[in-house]
Amino acid sequence: MSERKVLNKYFPPDFDPSLIPRRKGPKNSQQVVRLMAPFSMRCNTCGEYIYKGKKFNARKETVEGEDYYGIKIFRFYIKCTLCSAEITFKTDPKNTDYAAEHGASRNFEPWREEQVVEEEDRLARLEEEENNPMKALENRTVDAKREMDILDALQDIKARNARNDRAGQSIDLVARVTAEEVETEEERQRRLEEEEDNEIVRQVFTKMSMPAQPGLPSTSASSEASVAASSTSRTVTVKRKADDVEPDVLSLLPQSNRTVLDGKSTTTAKKAKLDLKNKLGIKVAKKGKVAV
């Protein structure tokens, strides 16, 4: 048994679509559609009321020779539920609604009522002004007063909006100034904390200059001057103890460097004594050997 609902159909090899006969229907044929009554209406034949939303099997056709800015207008045919009289209505794109055409009258048309009332008032006013010049003057005075009231109300609304805008700006300004003061206070507190940290670091860590170790090899030939300048002394960072007693520089050196520095200081002292004697003109006489 083959599938009842399939997507692909079988076409024989000798299938020719051009041989299929085309059915020619009328140009404006009616279609049977299922719809609901778009508005409440009353049958003109029997007086039966048909409420909005009642379902009908209607016939739809396109109205020939009528459109609204290129929008097609459709006509629908239904039958009264009591006397089976034919009722027609069509679409109204201008008012985005439906209009009763034949066989029934619409119970309530709000937009039509407004237009009718406005037109009646306008015609009555024109007729009254033509017959009574004083009434025309009174109408013009009333219109001018109404326009002045509208302008005053509009000016009050503008002033209120401007006042509200100024109040909002002042509130924003106060909030901004407060935020800047808070930020300034935070920056001041942060700077004080940084200064305290730097002071603690200076108290704990101290930079001291100490003589360089002799016999250090030079790194490059081009840096002989910098090596000669830095061979006399170098700066080291010394960490203080908890009792704030600053240690001696020699106590920080290893034993071999201490011995070299002690020997160097003794030699330097002897040379200084000899130079002092030579400057003062003192000649040291050597003891002669005694012949036996």
Side-chain angles (χ1 to χ4, degrees), residues 213-232:
Q213 299 181 7
L216 288 176
S218 60
T219 56
S220 61
S222 61
S223 60
E224 292 181 356
S226 61
V227 170
S230 62
S231 60
T232 57

Side-chain angles (χ1 to χ4, degrees), residues 39-281:
F39 51 83
S40 298
M41 64 187 81
R42 183 182 182 186
C43 179
N44 294 336
T45 304
C46 64
E48 177 70 13
Y49 286 95
I50 301 173
Y51 58 88
K52 179 180 179 180
K54 189 172 181 58
K55 294 182 179 180
F56 292 94
N57 291 324
R59 291 177 288 116
K60 183 185 77 169
E61 68 178 6
T62 305
V63 180
E64 295 293 338
E66 293 185 18
D67 63 347
Y68 179 74
Y69 293 103
I71 301 174
K72 293 182 180 181
I73 297 176
F74 298 98
R75 181 182 288 114
F76 300 92
Y77 298 86
I78 61 175
K79 291 184 178 181
C80 177
T81 56
L82 183 62
C83 64
S84 297
E86 190 175 57
I87 300 173
T88 62
F89 58 89
K90 59 183 179 180
T91 57
D92 187 8
K94 182 178 180 180
N95 300 302
T96 63
D97 202 355
Y98 292 84
E101 187 177 20
H102 174 72
S105 59
R106 189 167 180 173
N107 295 338
F108 179 67
E109 294 178 349
W111 52 273
R112 288 186 183 275
E113 293 293 335
E114 291 178 0
Q115 291 180 355
V116 170
V117 171
E118 290 178 358
E119 187 67 18
E120 290 179 356
D121 292 343
R122 188 179 65 83
L123 294 176
R125 181 173 178 177
L126 290 176
E127 184 178 359
E128 188 178 11
E129 289 179 355
E130 289 178 358
N131 299 329
N132 190 357
M134 293 301 296
K135 189 65 176 179
L137 180 60
E138 291 178 1
N139 291 337
R140 286 197 296 269
T141 305
V142 171
D143 293 341
K145 184 178 180 181
R146 185 186 302 110
E147 291 179 0
M148 292 298 294
D149 294 339
I150 293 173
L151 291 177
D152 292 341
L154 183 60
Q155 189 67 25
D156 293 341
I157 293 173
K158 289 182 178 180
R160 190 183 307 110
N161 293 338
R163 186 166 56 254
N164 293 337
D165 292 340
R166 289 195 298 271
Q169 292 177 1
S170 62
I171 292 173
D172 295 340
L173 180 60
V174 171
R176 193 182 306 111
V177 170
T178 306
E180 291 179 357
E181 291 179 355
V182 172
E183 291 179 358
T184 306
E185 185 66 24
E186 292 179 355
E187 291 178 358
R188 188 183 301 107
Q189 186 68 21
R190 190 182 304 108
R191 187 172 62 255
L192 292 176
E193 292 178 356
E194 290 179 357
E195 290 178 358
E196 292 178 359
D197 295 341
N198 294 333
E199 184 65 24
I200 293 173
V201 170
R202 283 196 298 269
Q203 291 178 1
V204 175
F205 298 96
T206 305
K207 290 185 178 181
M208 300 179 62
S209 60
M210 60 177 295
Q213 299 181 7
L216 288 176
S218 60
T219 56
S220 61
S222 61
S223 60
E224 292 181 356
S226 61
V227 170
S230 62
S231 60
T232 57
S233 63
R234 62 192 182 94
T235 304
V236 295
T237 303
V238 180
K239 183 177 181 181
R240 297 176 180 272
K241 293 184 179 180
D243 53 357
D244 294 338
V245 177
E246 187 172 338
D248 190 7
V249 179
L250 297 178
S251 64
L252 302 175
L253 297 176
Q255 185 63 30
S256 58
N257 294 343
R258 290 182 197 174
T259 306
V260 173
L261 290 176
D262 291 341
K264 187 176 180 180
S265 61
T266 305
T267 307
T268 306
K270 290 182 179 180
K271 289 183 179 180
K273 287 182 179 180
L274 292 176
D275 294 339
L276 182 61
K277 291 179 181 180
N278 292 332
K279 289 179 180 179
L280 294 176

